[in-house]
Amino acid sequence: MLPDLSDYKWIVPDFIWELDEHIDFEKLSKALPDAEDLAKLLPDFDKIGESLSSLKGFFSPGYNLVSEVIGASDLLLLLGSQGDTAFRATDQGYENDKQYKKVSDKEKIDQLQEELLHTQLKYQRILERLEKENKELRKLVLQKDDKGIHQRNLKKSLIDMYSEVLDILSDYDASYNTQDHLPRVVVVGDQSAGKTSVLEMIAQARIFPRGSGEMMTRSPVKVTLSEGPHHVALFKDSSREFDLTKEEDLAALRNEIEIRMRKSVKEGCTVSAETISLNVKGPGLQRMVLVDLPGVISTVTSGMAPDTKDTIFSISKAYMQNPNAIILCIQDGSVDAERSIVTDLVSQMDPHGKRTIFVLTKVDLAEKNVSSPNRIQQIIEGKLFPMKALGYFAVVTGKGNSSESIESIKEYEEEFFQNSKLLKTCMLKAHQVTTRNLSLAVSDCFWKMVRESVEQQADAFKATRFNLETEWKNNYPRLRELDRNELFEKAKNEILDEVISLSQVTPKHWEEILQKTLWERVSTHVIENIYLPAAQATNSGTFNTTVDIKLKQWTDKQLPNKAVEVAWETLQEEFSHFMTEKKGKEHDDIFDKLKQAVKEESIKRHKWNERAEDSLRVIQHNTLEDRSISDKQQWDAAIHFMEDTLQSRLKDTESVIEDMVGPDWKKRWLYWVGRTKEQNIRNETKNELEKMIKCNEDHAAYLANDEVTTVRKNLEAKGVAVDPCLIKDTWHQVYRRHFLRTALSHCNLCRRGFYYYQRHFVDSELECNDVVLFWRIQRMLAITANTLRQQLTNTEVRRLEKNVKEVLEDFAEDSDKKVKLLTGKRVQLAEDLKKVREIQEKLEAFIEALHQEK
């Protein structure tokens, strides 16, 4: 029954043929049974009719089975051969079945079938034992140095090279469109049909998360199988190796896969189209790339997203519509065939069955539960489902206990099929059972498809590269092709240069901005809460006491915090100015979003030194306590500062009064505008209050109740009804204007008061305590600005620069962030060019290695 394998010598590397130099095959052959003992196990071929002459010739007496059939080179070639054998044997089996039907004597046929089955099982056990020995020998060879086995290294890396191409394609072609027609083995099936178990048997390790009836495969998992001395697994984006011979590593691997699946699923979804890439190496593994897809479901249950069923169908179709994808269709043999959903889907994607391999799982349960064994035979022969397949297989991938080891399941599977009625009655052929035969067949089909399609795909990407390069030359003839990572590095350097520019800002510039901004923030408080209340004092002693108390309270609570806020906002404004400043023709707006995001994140992370407020409080308190104006220049500066402040406040107050009472007679005549009813009432109230101030220019800041009543009655006498609250509100602005005008005139009188100040205003009616107050405020602003500038240049700018570097490092590691912040046709075109070039180079290297191996 052994086919001619001479066409498959290319599969086995050259060093295999030289193994007789390292292995004593004489000793190996002595360990096998004698030819005579084997011959006794054979049936009496003289009783076989003319129709079986080929079999008679194969098992004729004198044929040396040990030296010819299980010779060293032919034996290892047998073990390394792939699954075309299985498919050729299928056709041969069908021809033999036709010949058996021609035999008239039914008893002879039954006897012949039984004898053939026993012989087949006997040889199967011998081959299994030799295969185990061969596996150990191959492992020892792989562990040796590279000397003399460079061909083996080439062969081992071939599948890894192909897997790299698929990974790059996955990143480049996230939508899985028609550009990617490279072969994969796509594992599809109904939920809980045993897809994952089949894959684990092929990988020879329990690598996937397991659940009882619940959906465990939530995203596609690409598994690259390759041969190696050690049984290990690793993710494409991680350097950690999981030792698949250790249970703790297996548990960690399963947990990591589950975590990655859950992370890939977006909020509100149940499954994801994002592919998890896993490499599995080990002795005796068949080289191929498989993609395990989420199980197809018929009903969306509670806890699932409403579109889960449609999403799974779309993911499955996206992978299966690839004309070079090999579809491994998994069907649960323990359930009714009519309940299958996936078979209809597969028949739509591959109606002629030219790239589909059908696998029936849980055959042990099916044999127990199915009343008609012929039904299993109909499934395997492809007569029960409305789909065609390249090959049909029956496997057992479990014993009902998820903790069972792969080795124990393999032994259970082989034992089951040896004793199964399905084989004894020839419903199934020996080459159609066990996951080992399935793995050989799938691997052979995979590599056959790769050789047929890879060069065509390389040509397609070559054409795509030419089109993209032409588009770039036409659209961006003067720009270099910088992909997203290269653009990010360029932007990173620009941002760091701009941060360094902060340290080049002059101290004078810092202090001017800080002093101006701080006064804008605190001026209202100084006028309203310190100057105005103190000015109500009748003598200088009371004025100074009130000022000192108010300044102390202000310094203890609000002033240091407000100063730090101003400094931080000033630093932000300067930083933003440098980050957003246009640089003429050299400015590249493609970086604007990235710079804005870096600026916002850096500012968000930056925190001002907590001790800054405490040290600033002491400095400000000591400064405000000083009343000693040393020279006339400082006095004049204080006069100028006070005058500017009061004039600015007076202008604001007059503007408010104008809004309250409406336009005066000039504007009414020139612009033909009038007053509203409320403005007329306000105007009459204002006039009445101004009369009161004229009568008493030293009036207090607040109206007494009897004064409010007097004003109201006077207005009522004029026919104007007014509310007391409106009178008080109008009084506040009228008195404020009167106070500011009086203070300005007093300020003008104090221009020459420095001489009297030096004599402490002795023998003088002039008192300029308000000038001293404004000098103290002005000096505090200057010293505070100087202190804040030192904190900025010595500490905070450096800390901000450090934050910017950290943010840039974080962004550099976040691919999604870079995709979001560096966008546009130019970026995408450069990215596509980079990916296509990389794919083309990888494909060409793979094709060259493939030709070398062949």
Side-chain angles (χ1 to χ4, degrees):
M1 295 294 289
L2 296 174
D4 182 13
L5 300 172
S6 60
D7 294 337
Y8 295 90
K9 289 184 178 181
W10 58 270
I11 294 175
V12 182
D14 294 340
F15 86 94
I16 292 295
W17 310 116
E18 301 169 0
L19 278 178
D20 55 350
E21 297 177 7
H22 308 284
I23 302 170
D24 189 356
F25 283 103
E26 251 187 308
K27 187 176 179 182
L28 184 63
S29 63
K30 288 179 182 179
L32 295 172
D34 294 331
E36 294 180 1
D37 294 336
L38 289 173
K40 290 178 184 179
L41 300 172
L42 299 175
D44 188 359
F45 289 100
D46 294 331
K47 297 180 181 179
I48 300 174
E50 291 290 328
S51 58
L52 301 176
S53 59
S54 61
L55 288 175
K56 182 177 179 182
F58 182 79
F59 290 103
S60 59
Y63 192 82
N64 193 337
L65 289 173
V66 174
S67 61
E68 294 295 326
V69 178
I70 317 180
S73 60
D74 288 343
L75 173 60
L76 292 171
L77 180 59
L78 169 65
L79 297 175
S81 66
Q82 307 288 320
D84 248 6
T85 305
F87 298 137
R88 191 183 295 119
T90 303
D91 298 333
Q92 194 174 2
Y94 288 142
E95 291 175 7
N96 291 342
D97 288 345
K98 292 177 182 178
Q99 293 176 0
Y100 291 157
K101 291 177 183 177
K102 296 178 182 178
V103 181
S104 59
D105 191 350
K106 192 170 182 300
E107 293 181 359
K108 287 185 177 181
I109 293 173
D110 294 341
Q111 183 181 1
L112 176 62
Q113 288 177 343
E114 187 175 353
E115 289 174 348
L116 284 174
L117 180 62
H118 282 301
T119 305
Q120 200 173 31
L121 294 176
K122 183 72 175 179
Y123 287 140
Q124 185 75 17
R125 283 193 290 269
I126 295 171
L127 287 174
E128 286 170 2
R129 180 165 57 82
L130 292 174
E131 186 184 24
K132 287 182 180 178
E133 295 176 3
N134 178 50
K135 184 177 178 180
E136 292 299 320
L137 291 172
R138 289 164 71 89
K139 184 175 180 180
L140 290 173
V141 171
L142 289 171
Q143 288 174 337
K144 287 185 178 181
D145 294 334
D146 291 342
K147 295 179 181 179
I149 59 168
H150 58 277
Q151 292 293 331
R152 182 67 235 174
N153 287 337
L154 176 66
K155 189 177 179 72
K156 187 178 79 168
S157 64
L158 198 60
I159 188 66
D160 294 328
M161 293 170 67
Y162 184 75
S163 180
E164 285 178 11
V165 174
L166 296 183
D167 286 336
I168 299 168
L169 275 171
S170 177
D171 295 336
Y172 167 67
D173 191 13
S175 61
Y176 201 94
N177 64 29
T178 53
Q179 286 183 314
D180 179 11
H181 285 168
L182 288 172
R184 301 160 173 78
V185 180
V186 180
V187 186
V188 295
D190 299 331
Q191 185 180 345
S192 302
K195 294 184 299 81
T196 301
S197 298
V198 170
L199 219 163
E200 287 182 334
M201 290 292 287
I202 294 174
Q204 299 180 21
R206 296 277 198 181
I207 58 177
F208 290 104
R210 316 192 72 80
S212 179
E214 62 177 313
M215 180 181 291
M216 296 306 297
T217 306
R218 296 179 178 271
S219 65
V221 182
K222 180 176 77 69
V223 181
T224 303
L225 300 179
S226 58
E227 195 171 15
H230 305 291
H231 204 184
V232 294
L234 65 159
F235 294 97
K236 75 165 186 176
D237 56 354
S238 173
S239 59
R240 178 184 176 183
E241 279 193 352
F242 296 87
D243 189 343
L244 302 183
T245 61
K246 297 179 180 178
E247 188 55 43
E248 57 269 22
D249 275 27
L250 279 169
L253 176 62
R254 290 192 290 266
N255 184 56
E256 180 65 20
I257 291 174
E258 186 171 2
I259 291 171
R260 286 174 180 252
M261 283 184 182
R262 294 191 182 279
K263 282 184 179 179
S264 69
V265 177
K266 296 179 180 178
E267 188 175 353
C269 300
T270 306
V271 293
S272 167
E274 186 178 331
T275 305
I276 297 171
S277 185
L278 180 69
N279 290 350
V280 178
K281 301 177 184 290
L285 293 183
Q286 299 301 316
R287 303 174 303 155
M288 61 183 122
V289 177
L290 305 101
V291 182
D292 185 24
L293 299 180
V296 178
I297 60 174
S298 58
T299 306
V300 176
T301 59
S302 61
M304 290 185 179
D307 63 344
T308 301
K309 179 181 176 182
D310 295 335
T311 304
I312 293 174
F313 266 85
S314 65
I315 293 172
S316 301
K317 285 181 179 179
Y319 276 91
M320 288 192 290
Q321 70 186 4
N322 176 358
N324 296 321
I326 300 158
I327 303 171
L328 197 61
C329 179
I330 311 297
Q331 172 62 35
D332 188 346
S334 65
V335 299
D336 295 335
E338 291 76 11
R339 293 167 58 185
S340 175
I341 308 168
V342 73
T343 49
D344 292 334
L345 183 61
V346 172
S347 62
Q348 292 174 19
M349 296 292 104
D350 184 25
H352 302 293
K354 293 182 178 180
R355 53 190 180 90
T356 300
I357 297 175
F358 182 86
V359 182
L360 187 68
T361 61
K362 306 178 185 179
V363 182
D364 53 338
L365 299 178
E367 189 179 42
K368 293 177 183 177
N369 301 333
V370 177
S371 57
S372 174
N374 291 331
R375 192 172 177 85
I376 298 176
Q377 185 179 12
Q378 287 179 328
I379 295 174
I380 293 299
E381 291 178 353
K383 297 177 181 179
L384 194 60
F385 290 109
M387 60 170 285
K388 298 178 182 178
L390 194 64
Y392 296 86
F393 289 85
V395 297
V396 174
T397 57
K399 299 165 63 175
N401 185 357
S402 61
S403 62
E404 288 286 342
S405 67
I406 296 295
E407 287 298 324
S408 64
I409 294 173
K410 285 173 68 176
E411 292 174 2
Y412 170 73
E413 181 187 40
E414 292 168 1
E415 183 181 351
F416 165 77
F417 282 116
Q418 287 174 7
N419 302 319
S420 173
K421 294 179 182 178
L422 299 172
L423 271 182
K424 289 181 179 179
T425 56
C426 289
M427 291 184 183
L428 299 178
K429 308 299 182 292
H431 63 267
Q432 289 183 291
V433 298
T434 71
T435 48
R436 183 177 62 84
N437 289 334
L438 170 66
S439 178
L440 290 168
V442 173
S443 178
D444 180 67
C445 189
F446 168 77
W447 283 105
K448 181 180 177 183
M449 194 74 81
V450 167
R451 289 183 178 86
E452 290 175 354
S453 62
V454 69
E455 292 190 9
Q456 183 182 357
Q457 286 293 295
D459 292 339
F461 279 103
K462 189 175 182 180
T464 303
R465 174 179 175 176
F466 175 79
N467 294 336
L468 292 173
E469 287 175 343
T470 303
E471 185 178 356
W472 182 274
K473 289 175 184 176
N474 292 334
N475 289 295
Y476 311 104
R478 297 182 179 180
L479 294 176
R480 283 197 305 127
E481 298 169 12
L482 298 177
D483 60 35
R484 188 169 278 111
N485 289 332
E486 290 169 334
L487 284 170
F488 181 84
E489 287 301 317
K490 183 179 178 182
K492 178 181 176 181
N493 293 332
E494 283 190 14
I495 292 169
L496 292 176
D497 289 342
E498 287 156 0
V499 174
I500 291 172
S501 300
L502 277 175
S503 60
Q504 297 174 355
V505 176
T506 62
K508 182 181 178 182
H509 179 73
W510 278 121
E511 291 183 18
E512 286 178 354
I513 295 175
L514 289 167
Q515 188 167 344
K516 179 183 176 183
T517 309
L518 182 59
W519 177 237
E520 289 173 356
R521 294 294 181 86
V522 303
S523 59
T524 301
H525 181 87
V526 171
I527 299 297
E528 301 293 333
N529 297 83
I530 299 176
Y531 183 41
L532 273 172
Q536 305 305 312
T538 56
N539 56 71
S540 61
T542 307
F543 179 89
N544 291 331
T545 303
T546 305
V547 165
D548 290 343
I549 293 171
K550 297 284 186 182
L551 288 176
K552 180 69 166 61
Q553 292 173 348
W554 185 42
T555 308
D556 289 342
K557 295 179 181 179
Q558 300 176 10
L559 182 57
N561 180 261
K562 188 68 69 176
V564 169
E565 283 182 11
V566 167
W568 176 216
E569 289 173 10
T570 302
L571 178 59
Q572 290 182 48
E573 289 173 4
E574 289 296 306
F575 179 47
S576 301
H577 169 71
F578 285 113
M579 291 284 282
T580 57
E581 184 182 12
K582 305 290 183 183
K583 295 178 175 59
K585 294 181 180 180
E586 296 181 1
H587 178 73
D588 196 343
D589 58 2
I590 204 168
F591 299 141
D592 289 349
K593 286 176 69 176
L594 175 61
K595 288 183 177 181
Q596 182 67 21
V598 171
K599 183 194 76 173
E600 291 175 358
E601 184 63 24
S602 301
I603 289 172
K604 183 180 177 182
R605 295 186 185 185
H606 187 87
K607 290 183 180 180
W608 204 272
N609 190 349
E610 295 178 356
R611 299 179 181 178
E613 282 190 26
D614 297 332
S615 60
L616 198 58
R617 182 178 290 108
V618 174
I619 293 171
Q620 289 171 336
H621 181 72
N622 294 335
T623 304
L624 288 171
E625 281 187 344
D626 186 10
R627 302 180 191 174
S628 303
I629 304 177
S630 58
D631 54 35
K632 181 70 164 59
Q633 186 179 356
Q634 291 184 12
W635 181 270
D636 291 341
I639 292 287
H640 181 71
F641 174 61
M642 178 180 175
E643 194 172 44
D644 288 346
T645 302
L646 295 177
Q647 284 178 349
S648 174
R649 292 289 163 177
L650 179 60
K651 185 178 179 181
D652 293 341
T653 303
E654 288 177 342
S655 177
V656 172
I657 292 174
E658 185 177 351
D659 292 338
M660 289 173 61
V661 302
D664 57 11
W665 65 271
K666 288 183 180 179
K667 289 184 179 179
R668 291 201 302 273
W669 278 99
L670 290 173
Y671 302 109
W672 288 86
V673 292
R675 289 172 174 162
T676 64
K677 183 179 179 181
E678 184 180 355
Q679 286 176 338
N680 281 321
I681 295 172
R682 291 269 190 183
N683 186 57
E684 292 295 333
T685 307
K686 177 189 72 97
N687 293 335
E688 194 68 27
L689 293 171
E690 284 177 344
K691 291 178 184 178
M692 185 182 296
I693 289 178
K694 282 183 180 179
C695 295
N696 182 13
E697 291 188 355
D698 296 330
H699 197 288
Y702 302 98
L703 281 176
N705 290 334
D706 56 343
E707 290 175 322
V708 174
T709 304
T710 302
V711 172
R712 183 169 59 81
K713 287 183 178 181
N714 291 341
L715 290 172
E716 286 177 354
K718 294 180 181 180
V720 179
V722 64
D723 186 75
C725 292
L726 186 141
I727 296 173
K728 291 180 179 179
D729 186 41
T730 307
W731 166 257
H732 177 72
Q733 299 300 330
V734 171
Y735 177 81
R736 183 186 180 87
R737 182 174 65 178
H738 167 69
F739 172 80
L740 292 172
R741 286 175 176 173
T742 305
L744 272 171
S745 62
H746 182 69
C747 179
N748 192 40
L749 292 174
C750 288
R751 286 184 182 278
R752 300 177 181 179
F754 182 68
Y755 170 74
Y756 298 104
Y757 166 77
Q758 288 180 317
R759 299 182 60 189
H760 305 288
F761 301 106
V762 176
D763 299 329
S764 172
E765 295 181 359
L766 182 65
E767 291 184 356
C768 298
N769 294 307
D770 47 0
V771 176
V772 177
L773 168 63
F774 276 91
W775 177 82
R776 293 164 72 182
I777 297 294
Q778 186 183 37
R779 188 163 177 268
M780 180 275 298
L781 291 173
I783 292 176
T784 300
N786 180 269
T787 305
L788 291 173
R789 189 266 305 166
Q790 292 182 36
Q791 291 181 2
L792 278 168
T793 55
N794 295 338
T795 307
E796 301 305 329
V797 170
R798 293 178 184 175
R799 291 177 64 227
L800 180 61
E801 183 179 351
K802 182 181 177 183
N803 287 340
V804 171
K805 290 179 179 178
E806 290 176 356
V807 170
L808 287 170
E809 288 173 2
D810 293 344
F811 282 10
E813 296 174 0
D814 191 340
S815 300
D816 294 337
K817 184 76 74 175
K818 285 191 282 189
V819 170
K820 182 180 177 181
L821 298 176
L822 291 171
T823 57
K825 181 181 177 181
R826 172 181 148 198
V827 182
Q828 194 57 49
L829 187 57
E831 281 289 301
D832 291 347
L833 263 170
K834 176 189 174 184
K835 291 290 184 184
V836 169
R837 284 173 180 154
E838 190 176 2
I839 291 167
Q840 186 188 354
E841 291 170 2
K842 294 281 186 183
L843 277 174
E844 289 174 353
F846 172 74
I847 292 169
E848 183 180 354
L850 195 64
H851 289 326
Q852 288 179 11
E853 183 185 68
K854 186 174 181 180

